[in-house]
Amino acid sequence: MIIPEIGVIAIPTASALVCIPLAGYYIFVCFYVKFLLNRVENSITHSSKDFSYMPIVQSYVELINVLKSLDDYLSFSALVIVLSAMSGLFYINFSLFILCSEGYLHTFIGEIYFSVLVAILILSASAANRAFVTAKEAIFSLPWKIPQHYKEVKMAIRSECTRDVSLTLWKVYKIERSLIFSAIGTLVTYGMLLGNLGGY
């Protein structure tokens, strides 16, 4: 039977060819936005009283737009990647522990692949969300750092920088680091439930 052997190779390969580039792009943009937001925060933190504030505010507004675009266009893709990786982890663990399948090398490689995919996507998106929060706090502290332009800075910040943006999974769940623990708990719970229902 050559068809099942092709399926064993073709399905993971097709999944990897779709998930890896998409996840790689998402992760790269998250880390780059985090880096730029940290630079905005550092430039505000280490600023003097007579620096120009408008380039920092404009950079912050552009980064907000990038985060919003990333969430608008790739939030569903992030959900699909997380759900497919979680279902892959569940299938591998269920077949290993409950069905006692052979082929521990495939199982080990699958565990690493799906675990790294979920962890790095969640950690990069949550890092970008945290960097946005700290940069927003720094932007809102800007009027007190430049007392001679307090009113102008306050007006610029109120008109441009009040939006809250965060990376989500299909605009339903804000991505935070605690999602990793929730996912592990879900895997363990459903694994035990199916194990008990199956009579194993």
Side-chain angles (χ1 to χ4, degrees):
M1 296 291 295
I2 196 162
I3 300 298
E5 293 173 6
I6 290 174
V8 168
I9 295 171
I11 292 171
T13 304
S15 171
L17 287 176
V18 171
C19 286
I20 289 175
L22 189 59
Y25 174 74
Y26 188 83
I27 291 162
F28 172 75
V29 173
C30 286
F31 277 126
Y32 192 64
V33 166
K34 176 194 173 292
F35 171 73
L36 293 175
L37 285 169
N38 286 341
R39 287 198 53 185
V40 166
E41 179 194 1
N42 288 337
S43 64
I44 292 171
T45 305
H46 302 302
S47 62
S48 61
K49 293 189 180 219
D50 55 348
F51 78 102
S52 176
Y53 64 90
M54 279 312 288
I56 293 175
V57 172
Q58 289 171 350
S59 298
Y60 177 77
V61 170
E62 289 174 9
L63 288 171
I64 287 176
N65 292 333
V66 168
L67 264 178
K68 184 169 178 355
S69 296
L70 184 65
D71 191 49
D72 287 343
Y73 294 113
L74 292 178
S75 64
F76 181 72
S77 300
L79 175 73
V80 168
I81 290 169
V82 168
L83 284 180
S84 65
M86 293 301 296
S87 59
L89 273 173
F90 178 77
Y91 175 74
I92 286 173
N93 288 326
F94 186 76
S95 65
L96 178 67
F97 294 121
I98 305 300
L99 302 177
C100 298
S101 68
E102 298 296 324
Y104 293 110
L105 181 63
H106 288 80
T107 304
F108 182 67
I109 291 171
E111 285 278 341
I112 291 173
Y113 169 71
F114 289 124
S115 299
V116 166
L117 191 63
V118 167
I120 200 161
L121 190 131
I122 291 172
L123 291 176
S124 63
S126 66
N129 285 340
R130 278 193 323 274
F132 168 74
V133 169
T134 56
K136 186 174 183 179
E137 290 172 359
I139 283 285
F140 278 105
S141 72
L142 194 58
W144 288 275
K145 292 191 176 282
I146 314 170
Q148 66 270 22
H149 300 292
Y150 179 82
K151 288 195 182 243
E152 296 91 11
V153 175
K154 191 84 166 168
M155 291 295 288
I157 289 173
R158 280 193 178 163
S159 65
E160 300 286 334
C161 305
T162 56
R163 289 187 294 171
D164 276 334
V165 179
S166 61
L167 297 175
T168 61
L169 295 175
W170 202 24
K171 303 213 180 274
V172 173
Y173 189 86
K174 181 180 176 183
I175 300 175
E176 297 172 347
R177 281 188 289 182
S178 62
L179 180 61
I180 291 177
F181 299 112
S182 300
I184 291 170
T186 303
L187 283 177
V188 170
T189 302
Y190 282 114
M192 289 191 306
L193 179 68
L194 285 178
N196 287 334
L197 287 177
Y200 296 105

